Amino acid sequence: MTSDPETEGVRLQKVLAKAGVASRRAAEDLITQGRVSVDGRVVRELGTRVDPDEAVIHVDGTRVILRDDLVHLALNKPRGVHTTMYDDQGRPCVGDYVNHRSERLFHVGRLDAETEGLLLLTNDGDLAHRLMHPSYHVPKTYLAEVDGKVPRGLGKELKAGIELEDGPVRVDEFRVKDSQGGRTLLEIVLHEGRKHIVRRLLAEVGFPVRKLVRTAVGDVQLGNGKPGTLRRLNRDEVGGLYRRVGL
């Protein structure tokens, strides 16, 4: 970063405008108001030039994505679709939904074949690695349908922790969303990423899952799209994921 207008680089307000943050005039206001930082330093000078390929820019604390080649997608994974980019047995897989794209994409984490809902797809390796790493505690929200009526103290029990064969697991949040017709709909939030963790957890306390849908990863919501729907994350959603993992 440099404030010398004669040196190499692109004016900061132009970079912000190209990234879709605001018009160039509005970007100038953001800068003079002290709402923009570059590489961890607040910038107020309108002559500041930056290297768009190297600079880390935040506006109001949210990372601005400058690289045009990065892709961040949300897939509403249907039931019966395997979380692989290619299946050598010819079964339906996540890769079928993006095989028309030129980018080399990969899925962030996994959902088992019978689980529906939000699955992130990207070519952003740094972000994907942190989202999948348990040390960053990125919450994931699920709706689970089970048989019967759950006891009043189940949420407290799950928050305290349940011992599974591969170690204890605790949920971050738990609530009953609905209960009728002999079935109960539960909302569970946890940051664990172990295989079949929600199914194993509920089976351990006597409530095997009949249907499971992931509805959120961090602040990114599944939305109302039908199973099989693919959409591009907006700037706020991507920035929110970056903020969650400290990028």
Side-chain angles (χ1 to χ4, degrees):
M1 180 182 71
T2 177
S3 59
D4 183 353
E6 299 303 321
T7 59
E8 293 184 0
V10 182
R11 286 183 181 273
L12 181 55
Q13 57 266 42
K14 183 176 180 180
V15 172
L16 294 175
K18 184 178 180 182
V21 174
S23 68
R24 196 175 302 189
R25 179 61 62 85
E28 291 176 351
D29 291 339
L30 292 174
I31 295 169
T32 57
Q33 291 166 11
R35 297 167 60 185
V36 181
S37 68
V38 179
D39 298 333
R41 293 170 50 200
V42 174
V43 174
R44 295 177 182 270
E45 299 176 14
L46 294 180
T48 299
R49 291 176 177 262
V50 299
D51 180 350
D53 296 327
E54 299 292 337
V56 176
I57 300 175
H58 290 78
V59 175
D60 293 333
T62 297
R63 175 82 173 265
V64 177
I65 308 304
L66 303 178
R67 288 176 52 187
D68 295 334
D69 61 320
L70 291 181
V71 176
H72 307 88
L73 304 174
L75 172 68
N76 185 347
K77 188 189 86 65
R79 189 173 185 175
V81 172
H82 292 260
T83 306
T84 58
M85 300 311 292
Y86 172 78
D87 189 83
D88 56 10
Q89 300 180 43
R91 298 173 298 183
C93 70
V94 168
D96 297 338
Y97 293 86
V98 292
N99 59 14
H100 61 287
R101 302 186 65 96
S102 59
E103 306 93 355
R104 185 178 180 181
L105 301 173
F106 46 88
H107 48 83
V108 181
R110 305 181 69 86
L111 292 176
D112 65 70
E114 294 306 301
T115 299
E116 306 172 38
L118 179 62
L119 185 69
L120 301 180
L121 300 167
T122 187
N123 58 354
D124 189 339
D126 289 341
L127 177 62
H129 171 74
R130 294 197 182 199
L131 288 173
M132 290 187 287
H133 201 285
S135 66
Y136 290 98
H137 301 287
V138 177
K140 303 168 186 68
T141 305
Y142 297 84
L143 288 179
E145 183 183 277
V146 300
D147 285 328
K149 187 175 181 179
V150 303
R152 184 179 297 273
L154 182 61
K156 186 176 181 180
E157 181 182 358
L158 294 175
K159 289 179 180 180
I162 300 296
E163 189 70 35
L164 301 179
E165 67 273 13
D166 55 352
V169 59
R170 296 177 178 84
V171 306
D172 301 321
E173 298 178 34
F174 173 92
R175 63 176 175 152
V176 176
K177 296 281 288 184
D178 193 19
S179 184
Q180 59 181 342
R183 294 182 182 174
T184 301
L185 186 64
L186 307 174
E187 183 178 75
I188 293 175
V189 180
L190 73 173
H191 57 268
E192 285 273 5
R194 281 179 276 171
K195 188 175 182 180
H196 304 310
I197 191 66
V198 177
R199 294 181 183 276
R200 292 193 289 130
L201 176 64
L202 290 176
E204 184 68 22
V205 294
F207 291 95
V209 171
R210 294 184 59 91
K211 182 178 180 180
L212 186 63
V213 180
R214 184 158 69 189
T215 59
V217 174
D219 300 319
V220 178
Q221 302 291 319
L222 176 62
N224 298 319
K226 296 179 180 179
T229 300
L230 187 71
R231 68 177 179 86
R232 184 182 290 268
L233 299 189
N234 62 40
R235 184 174 63 85
D236 289 340
E237 288 175 316
V238 176
L241 291 175
Y242 270 80
R243 186 169 57 251
R244 284 273 185 185
V245 299
L247 286 173

